[in-house]
Amino acid sequence: MRDLRSRSAWIVALLVGLLAFTMTVQWSQDDETDDFSGVRGVELAELLKSLDATNTRLSQQIETLRGSRDDLRDSSESSAEARKAAVERANSLAILAGTVGAEGSGIEISITAPAGAVTASVLLDAVQEMRDAGAEVIALNGVARVVAQTWFLDDDAGGRVSGRVLKPPYVMEVIGDPETLADAVTFRGGLADRVESRGGDVSVEKRQRLRVTAVADAPEPQYARPAND
């Protein structure tokens, strides 16, 4: 019985020794790898709380910066779209006003006739027919751009278009739908019939790319002024 107790005590002592050795090794490793081993529990809790608060503040700042970035991106995109729309609008108005050249599909009309056969009224009627057919740009003889203020007048030297004297043969460059414009020239009672009845001839050539370089003189307004905001 005594031997059994002695053996049991020896086993318990061995286990306690092993446990103490294991704890010593673990503490030694903790000393080497854990920088907070000497920090008290209360101090460690305060440190963790401070880190949590810093992380929260940084996360809020990141979200704020992301929001600012998104706002700037949206603002830049909106500004870019507004600038693009403004440029497109300005270009459209410049084409309609005849202050810039233009290109596109259309037709080229050549009018040949005896002297005096093609009067200012004939040219004006031709312009009106082209406008009714959807013409966006019209120019005569490569020098006279036809706009809303363009006027026609008979002159001894030839047809006068907004101060420019044009001599036959007359060449009209028209940008628009080629098929519709061509039909407007050749329909019964139209430009071709009127010119031919005067002993002249009209030919029409469809163009997929027509370039008009003639520009209109920009008139200086006499009475109008920019509206005040």
Side-chain angles (χ1 to χ4, degrees), residues 107-120:
I107 63 173
E108 184 176 280
I109 307 170
S110 298
I111 304 173
T112 57
V118 179
T119 62

Side-chain angles (χ1 to χ4, degrees), residues 167-185:
K167 296 181 179 181
Y170 298 106
V171 177
M172 182 180 292
E173 298 169 308
V174 188
I175 293 179
D177 179 65
E179 297 296 333
T180 305
L181 294 174
D183 290 342
V185 175

Side-chain angles (χ1 to χ4, degrees), residues 6-24:
S6 176
R7 184 178 302 173
S8 299
W10 182 83
I11 292 174
V12 170
L14 179 61
L15 292 174
V16 170
L18 290 175
L19 179 60
F21 176 79
T22 302
M23 293 177 63
T24 301

